[in-house]
Amino acid sequence: MTAPLIDPDRIEADYLIETAFDPMQAAEIMAGEQSSGTFISVPGETPELKERSAARVERLTVYDSVAQPTLPGAGRPNAGDGLWQRAKVTLSWPIENLGASMPNLIATIAGNLFELKPFSGLRLVDLRLPRAFAQKYAGPQFGMEGTRRLAGVHGRPLIGTIIKPSVGLTVEDTAAMVDQLCAGGIDFIKDDELQADGPACPFDARVKAVMAVVNRHADRTGKKPMVAFNLTGDMDDMRRHHDLVLAEGGTCIMASLTAVGMAGMIELRRHSQLPIHAHRCGWGALTREPMLGWSYPAWSKLWRLAGADHMHVNGLENKFSEADDSVIASARSLSEPLFEEAPMRAVPVFSSGQTVRQAAGTLQAVGSPDLIVTAGGGVVAHPDGIAAGVTAMCEAWDAAAAGVDLPTYAQDHPALAAALSVY
Amino acid sequence: MTAPLIDPDRIEADYLIETAFDPMQAAEIMAGEQSSGTFISVPGETPELKERSAARVERLTVYDSVAQPTLPGAGRPNAGDGLWQRAKVTLSWPIENLGASMPNLIATIAGNLFELKPFSGLRLVDLRLPRAFAQKYAGPQFGMEGTRRLAGVHGRPLIGTIIKPSVGLTVEDTAAMVDQLCAGGIDFIKDDELQADGPACPFDARVKAVMAVVNRHADRTGKKPMVAFNLTGDMDDMRRHHDLVLAEGGTCIMASLTAVGMAGMIELRRHSQLPIHAHRCGWGALTREPMLGWSYPAWSKLWRLAGADHMHVNGLENKFSEADDSVIASARSLSEPLFEEAPMRAVPVFSSGQTVRQAAGTLQAVGSPDLIVTAGGGVVAHPDGIAAGVTAMCEAWDAAAAGVDLPTYAQDHPALAAALSVY
């Protein structure tokens, strides 16, 4: 009986709420506002129309209460205990209200909700979709299997890095750095999300110079490192840049989700013949307040459906404000099936302050080597240079796979030993 | 000397920050992370590269401090007074880093910033752009002047309404309601943002049925009410739906900004021959925590540049959690010029719980009748029916323009008098 849970007949969304009102009453206000209701009852909202179109409160679980409201501007009832009650509520909608359209899904499940006055907190934490969405949207085109095939990496994570400095390198500098990384045996290279198509390092020239280097190494070794070129931009530029990467023998494109947006990502997926490496820069604005916005499992499901092959999840012991348990939950959520017959799993990408030190913990947390890890300074700032940085990362993941601790493994692996001395 | 302030040579963004570190040190971390730096100094970040590409801290104004961090996960220095300092900081970037690309602008000014560990609060409050952006993006195609021309309304606000119930009406129900609204003399009608292209009320059939009604009234009166049809959706659907609205004689399209996203809105603007009515549903997730995300003047500038003609700003005495001063600041910001030679002003759209009661206050706050007001229940729930609801709204705005208070004006305006008895 798992099928109905995965593929419900109605759109289902789970929210964490905080309210001074009776939580069921508050949940019904949410449901009304996001379907047939308005603030004042209107003549056309007949019982038949409500039955057909109203959102329903499916489940409500009351949690703890707090003395102070988390967010400003919330209203409170005239009577009551003065506390702000937290609860989890599940709403559902008939798909007939909107059709299987992802932009309209966003307007429905995450539209005019976050500002509703009865709530001092409102966060979308998960969602489940009818299979009509799987018929409309194809999901990841490559996923882990296609990524492994293109990159020629099997049975272990893809060891990657980010071209650093983030921005400011010329086309020639960039190609020279890629040359060193390829010589060092890297599996995966990505542009920083700040590297775009500026006059100081134009996209077309960068792709041509970098792919000349990559193709030369691929001819030499028989294995082509995957380079995720950041083509974030206007729609026509993204299509043209995709075509250039493909023509030059490239095997991956990168786009920033919050910068491109949903309609653009859907269109990019339809056009693309390459894996889409999805960057989540800007995500913090949607998630960092725990009682507002989105949690990653809900948010990432939409982008998986839209076709993101690789999804950034931050990293263990990262340099941002996110705790490890949140990173792990995000990474694991990417392998939960979206639909029974179309799981649409995405590849978790670990990054941010990643060095040799997080390999074992990451492997244990994810429970599988089906992931990409990217280290910026963790590779290029290695004391013996970039090639040693790549080697050390590979060694750290070999050690993790073998279940050997780093100091022991480093005894006969000098690149790893040198890395341990600085990271 | 106002020109340089409006059109700076570099991209400039203002942030409200909260940090336990020295605010200047924290600001420099922001600047480094969003340009040439990484967490560990990397060999390629030479002084020349920094000079060319690094973001700069232009200005810093220290505000008050607070005893508790607003957001979780922030780090603090080993020494210090234990307080969390608030400040306003302005960063700048050379446009050569990214080029005049709006999606890449978003990744730069609002990318991996909100999660930075030194910050317990980080909010983008304003921005100023070099005129290269005005050469790349055309801004609103119609604005207030084009909207007035199409709607045939001059010297006063467009009085509008939202088709309610939000969702659940059939095509025939919708056309019948539009018939009543047109008969009542309405200037502007919009779909609710939940009304999409579902099988219960398909877009194409709805547009054809509604425009048949609207065209009939226009033939009768010589004035065509503007109907904003919600075409939020995938890119190909949006283009096709735009073409249908245009072919049927429609004069406006509507799209939800957070649902469509930036690349999609840019593409829609390039395709569109009609004013774009931009809905902001979902905006609350980005703004409701005052120390996180975006403030409206910064956010709306991007959408104005992308071509939004009408921008929602909520409304006075609204039913959401937003205070009136925030609504007024949002509305006024839409008329601040984006560039000296291309002001790209957008039309503020007031909505949410709007009735006859907010007319005078809104007119006073905006200082001009160049706006659209939409009332849902405030029109259709009028005790004497929809036509009386429209009449009452028009009368309330006539009263505001004349500087007469509502009870006085209602003495010889029975529709307004009836409205005052229920709203």
Side-chain angles (χ1 to χ4, degrees):
Chain A
M1 281 305 289
T2 56
L5 196 69
I6 296 180
D7 304 337
D9 292 332
R10 294 163 65 95
I11 297 160
E12 285 195 4
D14 305 327
Y15 300 88
L16 180 62
I17 61 172
E18 183 185 289
T19 180
F21 292 82
D22 171 67
M24 180 54 83
Q25 184 193 352
E28 282 168 356
I29 290 172
M30 289 173 71
E33 174 66 14
Q34 287 311 101
S35 62
S36 58
T38 183
F39 292 112
I40 295 178
S41 295
V42 293
E45 198 189 11
T46 60
E48 296 72 28
L49 184 144
K50 273 195 169 180
E51 174 63 25
R52 188 170 70 229
S53 303
R56 288 202 304 244
V57 180
E58 296 284 351
R59 286 178 291 282
L60 179 79
T61 308
V62 173
Y63 293 157
D64 57 328
S65 57
V66 292
Q68 296 295 326
T70 300
L71 300 173
R76 59 197 312 168
N78 294 327
D81 58 10
L83 294 177
W84 304 80
Q85 184 70 50
R86 292 182 176 173
K88 181 178 175 183
V89 58
T90 300
L91 302 188
S92 78
W93 291 261
I95 192 169
E96 288 73 23
N97 279 21
L98 55 148
S101 160
M102 199 126 51
N104 289 298
L105 175 69
I106 293 173
T108 299
I109 64 173
N112 269 347
L113 273 168
F114 303 105
E115 296 163 286
L116 284 177
K117 201 174 182 73
F119 298 91
S120 55
L122 198 151
R123 182 174 175 92
L124 176 52
V125 293
D126 209 349
L127 70 128
R128 293 164 296 282
L129 299 172
R131 66 182 60 187
F133 280 91
Q135 286 149 9
K136 175 84 175 283
Y137 299 102
Q141 190 175 179
F142 291 86
M144 194 71 220
E145 189 185 329
T147 297
R148 289 193 178 288
R149 179 166 33 81
L150 288 171
V153 176
H154 301 279
R156 63 172 176 81
L158 271 69
I159 307 296
T161 190
I162 307 149
I163 296 171
K164 297 278 181 178
S166 313
V167 65
L169 296 177
T170 63
V171 165
E172 296 71 26
D173 294 338
T174 307
M177 177 155 295
V178 169
D179 197 13
Q180 292 183 69
L181 291 163
C182 291
I186 199 96
D187 299 325
F188 182 89
I189 303 170
K190 65 178 280 291
D191 281 339
D192 192 275
E193 80 278 7
L194 299 172
Q195 184 57 266
D197 187 24
C201 190
F203 186 90
D204 290 10
R206 188 167 81 252
V207 169
K208 287 177 185 174
V210 166
M211 286 313 302
V213 168
V214 169
N215 289 331
R216 179 163 48 74
H217 282 281
D219 289 344
R220 176 179 61 82
T221 64
K223 170 177 166 295
K224 182 182 285 193
M226 178 176 278
V227 181
F229 291 103
N230 179 31
L231 50 60
T232 299
D234 298 357
M235 210 60 247
D236 50 350
D237 291 332
M238 290 198 290
R239 277 189 290 254
R240 191 171 52 76
H241 287 160
H242 163 275
D243 294 351
L244 178 75
V245 172
L246 186 67
E248 297 293 322
T251 54
C252 192
I253 55 173
M254 167 173 144
S256 291
L257 299 170
T258 67
V260 170
M262 184 52 77
M265 290 304 299
I266 291 166
E267 188 76 1
L268 183 63
R269 165 66 176 87
R270 286 186 183 147
H271 182 80
S272 185
Q273 300 179 46
L274 296 169
I276 297 173
H277 185 85
H279 203 285
R280 70 175 202 179
C281 66
W283 160 240
L286 288 168
T287 199
R288 191 163 169 201
E289 165 51 57
M291 289 303 302
L292 180 66
W294 298 66
S295 68
Y296 190 86
W299 188 73
S300 58
K301 280 182 179 176
L302 296 180
W303 301 111
R304 289 160 62 190
L305 188 53
D309 292 284
H310 309 158
M311 287 283 302
H312 277 242
V313 296
N314 206 341
L316 296 187
E317 300 163 43
N318 65 77
K319 301 294 185 178
F320 290 102
S321 53
E322 187 177 7
D324 284 355
D325 59 351
S326 170
V327 174
I328 293 169
S330 295
R332 288 183 178 164
S333 76
L334 296 178
S335 61
E336 289 166 12
L338 262 186
F339 303 97
E340 191 179 23
E341 288 156 7
M344 300 190 183
R345 295 184 177 93
V347 181
V349 181
F350 291 81
S351 64
S352 171
Q354 299 296 288
T355 70
V356 294
R357 300 232 176 242
Q358 290 95 332
T362 303
L363 191 59
Q364 184 174 22
V366 178
S368 144
D370 287 346
L371 59 94
I372 298 171
V373 60
T374 66
V379 162
V380 301
H382 189 284
D384 299 328
I386 288 175
V390 174
T391 303
M393 282 294 286
C394 290
E395 289 170 351
W397 283 85
D398 290 344
V404 180
D405 65 88
L406 290 181
T408 304
Y409 204 80
Q411 285 170 10
D412 50 0
H413 292 91
L416 179 59
L420 290 177
S421 73
V422 292
Y423 297 122
Chain B
M1 280 304 288
T2 55
L5 194 71
I6 296 179
D7 302 337
D9 292 332
R10 294 163 64 94
I11 296 159
E12 284 196 4
D14 306 327
Y15 300 88
L16 179 63
I17 61 172
E18 182 185 288
T19 179
F21 292 83
D22 171 66
M24 180 53 84
Q25 184 193 351
E28 281 167 356
I29 290 172
M30 290 174 71
E33 173 67 14
Q34 287 311 102
S35 61
S36 58
T38 182
F39 293 112
I40 295 179
S41 296
V42 293
E45 199 190 8
T46 60
E48 295 74 27
L49 184 144
K50 273 194 169 180
E51 173 63 26
R52 188 170 70 228
S53 303
R56 288 202 303 246
V57 180
E58 297 283 351
R59 286 179 290 283
L60 179 78
T61 308
V62 173
Y63 294 156
D64 58 327
S65 57
V66 292
Q68 296 295 326
T70 300
L71 300 173
R76 57 197 315 169
N78 294 326
D81 59 9
L83 294 177
W84 304 81
Q85 184 71 50
R86 290 181 177 174
K88 182 178 175 183
V89 58
T90 299
L91 302 188
S92 78
W93 291 260
I95 192 169
E96 289 72 22
N97 279 22
L98 57 148
S101 160
M102 197 125 52
N104 289 297
L105 175 69
I106 294 174
T108 298
I109 64 172
N112 270 347
L113 273 168
F114 303 104
E115 296 162 287
L116 284 176
K117 201 174 181 73
F119 298 91
S120 55
L122 198 152
R123 182 175 175 93
L124 177 53
V125 294
D126 209 350
L127 70 129
R128 293 163 296 280
L129 299 173
R131 67 182 62 187
F133 280 91
Q135 286 148 9
K136 175 83 175 284
Y137 299 102
Q141 190 176 180
F142 291 85
M144 193 70 218
E145 188 186 328
T147 297
R148 288 195 178 287
R149 180 168 32 84
L150 287 171
V153 176
H154 300 279
R156 61 171 176 83
L158 272 70
I159 307 297
T161 190
I162 307 150
I163 295 170
K164 297 276 181 182
S166 313
V167 65
L169 295 177
T170 63
V171 165
E172 294 71 28
D173 293 337
T174 307
M177 178 156 295
V178 169
D179 197 15
Q180 291 183 68
L181 292 163
C182 292
I186 200 96
D187 300 323
F188 181 89
I189 301 169
K190 64 179 279 293
D191 281 338
D192 192 273
E193 79 278 7
L194 299 172
Q195 184 58 267
D197 187 25
C201 189
F203 186 90
D204 289 11
R206 187 166 81 251
V207 169
K208 288 177 186 174
V210 166
M211 285 314 302
V213 168
V214 169
N215 289 331
R216 180 164 46 77
H217 283 280
D219 289 344
R220 176 178 62 83
T221 64
K223 170 175 166 294
K224 183 183 283 194
M226 178 175 277
V227 181
F229 291 103
N230 179 31
L231 50 60
T232 298
D234 298 357
M235 210 62 245
D236 50 350
D237 290 332
M238 289 197 292
R239 278 188 290 254
R240 191 171 52 75
H241 286 161
H242 163 275
D243 294 351
L244 178 74
V245 172
L246 186 68
E248 297 293 322
T251 54
C252 191
I253 55 174
M254 166 174 146
S256 291
L257 299 170
T258 68
V260 170
M262 185 52 78
M265 289 305 299
I266 292 166
E267 188 75 1
L268 182 62
R269 165 67 176 84
R270 285 184 185 149
H271 182 81
S272 184
Q273 300 179 47
L274 296 169
I276 297 174
H277 186 85
H279 203 282
R280 70 176 203 180
C281 65
W283 159 242
L286 288 167
T287 200
R288 191 164 169 200
E289 166 50 56
M291 289 303 301
L292 180 66
W294 298 66
S295 69
Y296 190 87
W299 187 75
S300 58
K301 280 183 179 175
L302 297 180
W303 301 111
R304 288 161 62 189
L305 189 52
D309 292 284
H310 310 159
M311 288 282 301
H312 277 242
V313 296
N314 206 343
L316 296 187
E317 302 163 42
N318 65 78
K319 300 296 183 174
F320 290 103
S321 53
E322 187 178 7
D324 283 355
D325 58 352
S326 170
V327 174
I328 293 170
S330 295
R332 288 182 176 164
S333 77
L334 296 178
S335 61
E336 290 166 13
L338 262 185
F339 304 97
E340 191 180 22
E341 288 157 7
M344 299 189 183
R345 295 184 178 92
V347 180
V349 181
F350 291 81
S351 64
S352 172
Q354 299 296 288
T355 70
V356 293
R357 301 235 174 238
Q358 290 97 331
T362 303
L363 191 59
Q364 183 174 22
V366 178
S368 145
D370 287 345
L371 59 94
I372 298 171
V373 60
T374 66
V379 163
V380 301
H382 189 284
D384 299 328
I386 288 176
V390 174
T391 303
M393 282 294 286
C394 291
E395 289 169 351
W397 284 85
D398 290 343
V404 179
D405 65 87
L406 290 181
T408 304
Y409 205 80
Q411 285 170 9
D412 50 2
H413 292 90
L416 179 59
L420 290 176
S421 73
V422 291
Y423 297 122

